[in-house]
Amino acid sequence: MMPWKNGPALRRLVTCLVLFSLVLIGGECFAAEAAGAEETTSAISLTPIWLVLVGIVSVLAMIIGLKLNAFLALIISALLVSLLIGFQDDADAGSRMEAVVSAFGSSAGGVGIVIAMAAIIGKCMLDSGSADRIVRTAVGVTGEKKASLGLMISGFILAVPVFFDTVFYLLVPLARSLHKRTQSNYLRYLMAIATGGAITHTLVPPTPGPLLVSAILGVDIGMMMAVGAAVAIPSAIIGLFFSIVVDKKMPVPMRPLGANEDKHEPLAEDQLPSLWSSMLPVVLPVALIGAGTLATTLADKEDRAAITSSDIESFELLSEKFASANALSPAGRLVNSSQLTERQRQSLKVTPADAEQEASFIAAMNDALLDPNFYDEEAFDDVAVPEVSSKLMAANQLRMKPVDRRRMNRALLDAAYPELIAAHRWESPMRKTANSLGLWSNPNFALLLAALSAILTFKLVRNLSWRDVGVDVEESLMSGGVIILITAAGGAFGAMLSQTNIADTIQQFFEGREAAGVAILLLAWSISAVLKVAQGSSTVAMIIGAGMMAAILGGQQPPFHLVYVATAVGSGSLMGSWMNDSGFWVFTKMGGLTESESLRSWTPLLATLSIGGLVTTMVLSQVVPMAN
């Protein structure tokens, strides 16, 4: 039976989530019994699971059951979860309210300008006829029946260098214009864009999620791009067919996003702007962001912070320093790093006798420099912490790229032992190029330029005064402001769910599990999927899931290439997208859908892509294992 025929969305989701918690509890008890260790059950706290369930039931009950405004429901639920966390940790209620406010501000800061600019771009492209011009051209090439395929391919390609949210913002005007032309299939067009954008967002670098997963698992970025695309293509095709089915079962009308969305009369064919000026608001931000992403990726590949043989002033003195190092010293921190094996630790204490030993010595040092816990205040008490290390230590450590973490730790090591290790030279020509593109490739700035180009085209085509243009822009910002509030509130709610320490509970649950063959892929997918349902962010689910799989594998090579573990993790991060996921709200509000409609279209679509990615990964791992 299809998911939209199974009864009310609230009852279905609550039932599934209760079953999900029971599976975790039952699985935990089974694991304890199988291991013959009763203390395992008591070691894993069930409190985070129940806190997450309270938050989930709360937000679903208020939005679907009570029909409360989504912003209020999300903020109230975020506060409820935050207060329960405070009660558990004996924290005062005021500080827990501040935690919600801080998370809301952080989320709004991340999406505010982008959504505002996207709202302007969307309205101006529709009212100026730019979206109509692009659609007419595309339909002339593909035909109306294949228009959704064109939208899917566009989303698939654009989401490789650009975040999914931005891709969806840029392509929604085309879906709306296409619907005005065909008077049908609106939901199919939206889902086609979502299909292409979501699948590459989680499987193909240089998008941050798959990029970090490949780094954590030690997969070459080129291999990740090739296999990620190979997994993404059949999954996207399945998603497109699923979109067609859903659109036939539950057609959704195209609703106005603003009060005066259709106040301008449609233009005749000869009055429409040129294709070039019509495409500019879409192509410009993609080109700018893509150029910056490419330059940064190439600069990161140089890995200038990695230690080379020429950086070592004396292998003999350095090995002696490591051999005699106190645990609470910079050298001791490096030698005792959790990133190293016991064999690597011993190799650092012996002066290399030949080129092979020298290479092993250098490799061990570079591995240790990837340790997120390398810095210790007491160990570096006598060292002047470099400015670059201070800035990087203040950044989000979970989402930090390995190349930046190595740079952070290398700068600390350089400062601690300037007589033994030469200072690294970070500013290569490629890095300078990437830095020079920093402003232009910033999504906020790129979309600002795109919005200005859309406004100018709108003014010239419609022959409006700047005052009239200002009225239209204000109308678009009013609708965009509501989307910003709801998306930021969803981010705050997701952040509060994360603060329940649900990720730690899930990690403990899967700790010590052993897997072989295809079971490794199932485990990788399951961990990532559970993390996504619990805290809402695909990127976080991928990073934590990849880290857990690296620990579970423990350096052992499965009977296929590790890239398949990476794509299994990426596929799992699409599963269970609901109201704690910013993508859910982007799809819902920018598409003009209700929450219930998104739960019956967006959520099962991403589940279909997730399962399709897993199945494709499993098939490829058996047909083309690339084990060596």
Side-chain angles (χ1 to χ4, degrees):
M1 186 177 289
M2 299 305 287
W4 46 86
K5 289 188 177 180
N6 290 348
L10 175 61
R11 187 171 66 244
R12 289 201 312 274
L13 281 177
V14 171
T15 302
C16 289
L17 292 164
V18 170
L19 289 173
F20 160 69
S21 67
L22 292 176
V23 167
L24 277 182
I25 297 168
E28 175 189 329
C29 296
F30 174 78
E33 182 181 346
E38 294 182 1
E39 65 272 12
T40 303
T41 303
S42 60
I44 301 179
S45 171
L46 299 180
T47 302
I49 296 175
W50 295 117
L51 289 176
V52 167
L53 285 173
V54 167
I56 291 172
V57 172
S58 169
V59 75
L60 290 176
M62 281 189 275
I63 291 178
I64 299 178
L66 301 179
K67 307 299 182 184
L68 195 63
N69 178 273
F71 170 74
L72 287 175
L74 289 165
I75 285 296
I76 292 171
S77 298
L79 179 59
L80 173 62
V81 174
S82 185
L83 291 174
L84 290 174
I85 294 171
F87 178 78
Q88 188 73 20
D89 298 341
D90 198 26
D92 66 277
S95 67
R96 294 314 306 167
M97 182 67 211
E98 285 300 318
V100 174
V101 173
S102 177
F104 177 86
S106 178
S107 298
V111 302
I113 296 177
V114 171
I115 291 178
M117 294 303 109
I120 294 172
I121 293 169
K123 181 168 178 56
C124 289
M125 286 186 68
L126 286 168
D127 289 349
S128 68
S130 295
D132 194 21
R133 169 63 74 189
I134 296 171
V135 165
R136 286 171 184 256
T137 304
V139 168
V141 175
T142 65
E144 288 186 5
K145 292 184 178 180
K146 297 181 181 178
S148 55
L149 175 62
L151 288 174
M152 187 270 283
I153 293 174
S154 299
F156 188 97
I157 295 172
L158 296 183
V160 173
V162 181
F163 279 110
F164 166 79
D165 296 3
T166 304
V167 171
F168 194 79
Y169 299 146
L170 293 175
L171 295 183
V172 159
L174 304 187
R176 297 180 73 82
S177 184
L178 187 58
H179 172 72
K180 288 180 179 180
R181 180 182 176 88
T182 62
Q183 293 300 310
S184 62
N185 302 329
Y186 178 58
L187 183 59
R188 182 198 301 186
Y189 300 147
L190 290 180
M191 293 178 71
I193 297 170
T195 295
I199 196 69
T200 50
H201 176 75
T202 55
L203 288 174
V204 185
T207 307
L211 183 67
L212 288 167
V213 168
S214 63
I216 292 169
L217 292 172
V219 176
D220 178 74
I221 186 173
M223 177 65 74
M224 184 67 194
M225 292 179 73
V227 176
V231 171
I233 290 171
S235 303
I237 294 172
I238 294 170
L240 185 60
F241 279 113
F242 183 78
S243 302
I244 295 172
V245 173
V246 175
D247 183 60
K248 288 181 179 179
K249 293 291 184 180
M250 51 165 287
V252 172
M254 188 181 80
R255 305 180 181 98
L257 298 180
N260 298 311
E261 181 177 314
D262 298 321
K263 72 177 184 180
H264 294 283
E265 292 294 327
L267 294 170
E269 171 77 27
D270 58 351
Q271 294 176 310
L272 295 176
S274 67
L275 181 61
W276 184 88
S277 59
S278 299
M279 289 287 293
L280 190 60
V282 176
V283 173
L284 181 62
V286 171
L288 291 175
I289 296 171
T293 302
L294 176 61
T296 300
T297 301
L298 293 175
D300 287 348
K301 199 166 182 64
E302 294 177 342
D303 203 2
R304 303 279 289 193
I307 295 174
T308 63
S309 296
S310 60
D311 293 334
I312 308 298
E313 301 294 343
S314 171
F315 279 97
E316 183 178 357
L317 293 177
L318 189 58
S319 60
E320 289 177 2
K321 176 72 71 175
F322 287 143
S324 60
N326 183 286
L328 287 178
S329 68
R333 297 288 297 175
L334 189 141
V335 171
N336 295 311
S337 169
S338 60
Q339 301 288 315
L340 301 180
T341 64
E342 186 58 36
R343 183 176 181 179
Q344 285 179 306
R345 290 192 184 91
Q346 294 306 317
S347 70
L348 289 174
K349 299 177 182 179
V350 179
T351 304
D354 52 39
E356 184 178 348
Q357 291 182 9
E358 193 173 285
S360 299
F361 189 97
I362 295 296
M365 289 189 68
N366 283 323
D367 286 347
L369 290 179
L370 292 176
D371 191 344
N373 301 310
F374 177 65
Y375 177 79
D376 178 83
E377 188 174 356
E378 186 176 351
F380 286 86
D381 185 49
D382 297 330
V383 178
V385 177
E387 183 180 356
V388 62
S389 296
S390 298
K391 289 181 178 179
L392 288 170
M393 283 190 288
N396 187 328
Q397 297 297 302
L398 180 65
R399 295 173 181 257
M400 183 176 288
K401 294 181 292 186
V403 66
D404 288 329
R405 178 166 288 118
R406 183 176 278 141
R407 183 191 182 195
M408 175 180 73
N409 293 333
R410 172 67 189 274
L412 287 168
L413 195 65
D414 291 349
Y417 303 111
E419 74 283 1
L420 296 176
I421 303 172
H424 71 284
R425 295 172 294 278
W426 180 254
E427 295 296 331
S428 67
M430 183 53 69
R431 181 63 63 183
K432 290 179 180 178
T433 300
N435 291 341
S436 69
L437 292 172
L439 171 64
W440 299 95
S441 62
N442 184 290
N444 298 293
F445 186 75
L447 262 75
L448 172 61
L449 294 180
L452 293 176
S453 71
I455 290 172
L456 186 59
T457 301
F458 175 49
K459 181 186 185 305
L460 294 176
V461 170
R462 289 286 183 177
N463 195 25
L464 300 174
S465 67
W466 282 112
R467 180 181 294 276
D468 292 334
V469 171
V471 171
D472 281 87
V473 169
E474 184 175 343
E475 290 171 357
S476 66
L477 288 175
M478 289 176 68
S479 62
V482 174
I483 299 172
I484 293 170
L485 286 174
I486 293 174
T487 305
F493 176 60
M496 292 306 102
L497 293 184
S498 296
Q499 289 186 18
T500 62
N501 293 323
I502 184 65
D504 292 339
T505 299
I506 293 170
Q507 189 162 356
Q508 290 174 18
F509 173 77
F510 286 105
E511 218 168 50
R513 302 297 195 270
E514 293 184 0
V518 173
I520 294 176
L521 302 179
L522 289 171
L523 181 62
W525 182 89
S526 300
I527 292 173
S528 185
V530 171
L531 284 164
K532 173 59 183 291
V533 173
Q535 52 78 47
S537 169
S538 291
T539 302
V540 171
M542 283 188 277
I543 294 169
I544 297 177
M548 291 170 64
M549 286 308 301
I552 290 170
L553 291 172
Q556 295 183 353
Q557 177 69 37
F560 39 73
H561 200 287
L562 278 172
V563 70
Y564 294 119
V565 179
T567 56
V569 168
S571 298
S573 71
L574 289 169
M575 192 70 180
S577 175
W578 63 288
M579 294 172 184
N580 62 349
D581 180 7
S582 64
F584 175 91
W585 293 110
V586 167
F587 181 83
T588 302
K589 296 305 174 182
M590 292 299 291
L593 276 65
T594 66
E595 290 83 3
S596 179
E597 287 168 346
S598 289
L599 287 172
R600 289 178 290 155
S601 57
W602 163 267
T603 302
L605 170 64
L606 263 64
T608 301
L609 295 175
S610 178
I611 295 171
L614 172 64
V615 172
T616 306
T617 294
M618 293 169 64
V619 171
L620 288 176
S621 70
Q622 302 305 304
V623 176
V624 193
M626 299 183 293
N628 294 323

